[in-house]
Every structure is written in C-alpha cells, then in structure tokens.
Amino acid sequence: MTEDAAPLRRRLYGRSKGKALRQHQTELMTGLLPRLALDPSSPLPLRPGRETRLEIGFGGGEHLIEAAAREPEVDFFGCEPFVNGMAKLLSRIEERGLANIRLHQGDAAEVLDRLPDASLSRVYLFYPDPWPKRRHRKRRFVSPENLDRLARVMRPGAELRFATDIDDYAAWTLARLRACDAFRWRAETAQDWLEPWHGWTQTKYEAKAMAAGRRPVYLTFVRQAD
C-alpha cells in the first residue's frame, strides 16, 4: 500500500516516556536501536523463507523476548511507542544476543501500512491501552480500520492473539472481530479463552492485574481465506 493510499491514522497512545532512563539504557537507545529499527519509509526487511510475526505494543518486552529466543528461525517485528518499554527490551536483546527481532518506536499502523499483502503468520496484541473513558474509545487499537490493515497483511490461517483484563475491551474486541468476515473466532469452549496459549510468558502487567483480582481473557482469531 502506498503512503497516499494509506487510511488516515489516529494517535492510539498517550504519553511516550516515563521516568528517566539509566545511562546504559540511553546508550542502547542511541546505539542499538538504530541498528534494529524498521524504516516505514522503505521496504521492510522480510527475509525469504522465514516466518514473520508482529507484536503490537510489547510493553516491557517479556513475551517478545521469550518468543524470539524460543524460535530463532522466526523473525519478529515489535512496535512500542513508550520509550521506557523500548529501552527495557533493548537491554534484554543485548543480554540474550538475539538476532531475529526488529523494532519500531511508534504507531504499529505505520508498519502495517508498509507490509506486503499476506506477509505475517501471527500477530500479538496483549493488554493494549483500554482507553476506558467513552470519549477516548475511538483510540482503541481494535477498530474496523485496523482490522482491515491486519486482514491485508495476515496470510490465510494466521492467528491474531489478543489478551486483556478489561471486560469491556474484551466485549468490544469480540463484537468487532465477529463482525469482520476476514476473521474467525477459534474458541469452542469457555476454557479456550480463559487459559493462555502454550508457552505463554506472563507479563509484568498481567501479574499486577491478576494480583488486583482481574481475570484475563485470551482470544484467538484466525485469518480466513478470501
């Protein structure tokens, strides 16, 4: 999709920086990040013969780093606008010496609009900002516009994995995905959305949510063949 043809994008995140970074984190942001950064203005680095997956809003990178370490034959793209989350993941990449992660500090839609058709085998969307105030709900990532983006870049049979601890956002997501002909909800029993996926890595956010008494749901949607 060309830049002129790309749908209009809304900012889907709030502040992008928290507490001050430590010195080494700052060095990684200026040294390592440019080497791993995706450039949405150029063709994205899809390697022939390799599966590519995308994590949208990876937070501190707990899931992304473990997934990439477990499957070194798979390439992972990670998008995260929050500076502190990006710095944490860079530290983990350096520690683990991984070479199959590329990063985008910003809106995931910028990457989606530059990916070729049917190029992703899986997309992760875990604990996105729920934007609980009614006037802000248009900022939620799950929207008809973004589902169209995902449908274009996901190959038939590819999975969209979604997790949230916010009941309203779970219902919102189910309503929009079930209204989208490009995706099928895979669940057959209640346990299918109450238990995480095999090999799941619990994030720091999820641990806090469960400690506060909120029960996550894990939704899997499959890209249908056109």
Side-chain angles (χ1 to χ4, degrees):
M1 179 180 295
T2 65
E3 186 172 10
D4 291 339
L8 292 175
R9 292 192 289 263
R10 296 190 299 269
R11 180 183 171 104
L12 302 178
Y13 55 92
R15 66 192 183 115
S16 59
K17 189 173 182 180
K19 62 182 181 180
L21 301 181
R22 296 190 295 273
Q23 180 178 346
H24 187 55
Q25 289 179 320
T26 300
E27 292 170 353
L28 291 172
M29 291 292 291
T30 58
L32 181 57
L33 179 57
R35 300 202 300 271
L36 302 182
L38 297 168
D39 180 2
S41 67
S42 303
L44 298 182
L46 298 172
R47 295 195 279 182
R50 289 176 64 92
E51 182 181 342
T52 303
R53 302 177 187 173
L54 171 69
E55 182 159 349
I56 298 171
F58 55 73
E62 298 97 337
H63 170 268
L64 182 54
I65 198 76
E66 293 303 328
R70 187 168 55 246
E71 299 185 79
E73 73 282 1
V74 175
D75 287 337
F76 292 83
F77 291 172
C79 300
E80 175 60 54
F82 197 48
V83 172
N84 299 72
M86 183 65 73
K88 288 179 182 177
L89 179 60
L90 289 171
S91 295
R92 292 182 166 122
I93 291 173
E94 182 186 50
E95 290 169 2
R96 306 285 284 271
L98 299 181
N100 59 332
I101 299 178
R102 299 296 297 271
L103 302 170
H104 176 62
Q105 187 183 346
D107 190 343
E110 296 168 346
V111 172
L112 292 173
D113 286 344
R114 289 298 183 177
L115 282 167
D117 293 355
S119 55
L120 297 180
S121 62
R122 189 174 297 168
V123 175
Y124 307 106
L125 180 58
F126 298 145
Y127 299 100
D129 194 325
W131 294 105
K133 294 182 180 179
R134 185 172 296 274
R135 69 178 183 273
H136 291 157
R137 288 181 184 174
K138 63 184 179 182
R139 298 185 181 183
R140 287 177 169 177
F141 185 86
V142 178
S143 67
E145 296 84 0
N146 282 331
L147 293 183
D148 286 345
R149 286 185 169 99
L150 290 172
R152 184 185 67 79
V153 301
M154 293 173 67
R155 64 180 65 165
E159 290 184 350
L160 169 60
R161 296 185 177 182
F162 175 90
T164 185
D165 60 310
I166 306 299
D167 291 344
D168 175 71
Y169 203 176
W172 168 287
T173 298
L174 273 174
R176 282 149 184 79
L177 265 297
R178 298 190 75 178
C180 181
D181 292 337
F183 292 93
R184 172 179 60 85
W185 187 26
R186 204 185 64 182
E188 296 179 356
T189 70
Q191 289 304 113
D192 291 336
W193 70 83
L194 295 178
E195 295 181 353
W197 302 272
H198 176 72
W200 173 247
T201 300
Q202 186 178 64
T203 67
K204 183 178 180 180
Y205 177 87
E206 181 179 86
K208 288 183 177 179
M210 295 177 75
R214 297 190 299 275
R215 186 172 187 178
V217 295
Y218 310 92
L219 309 179
T220 304
F221 305 92
V222 178
R223 174 67 168 99
Q224 301 279 72
D226 293 330

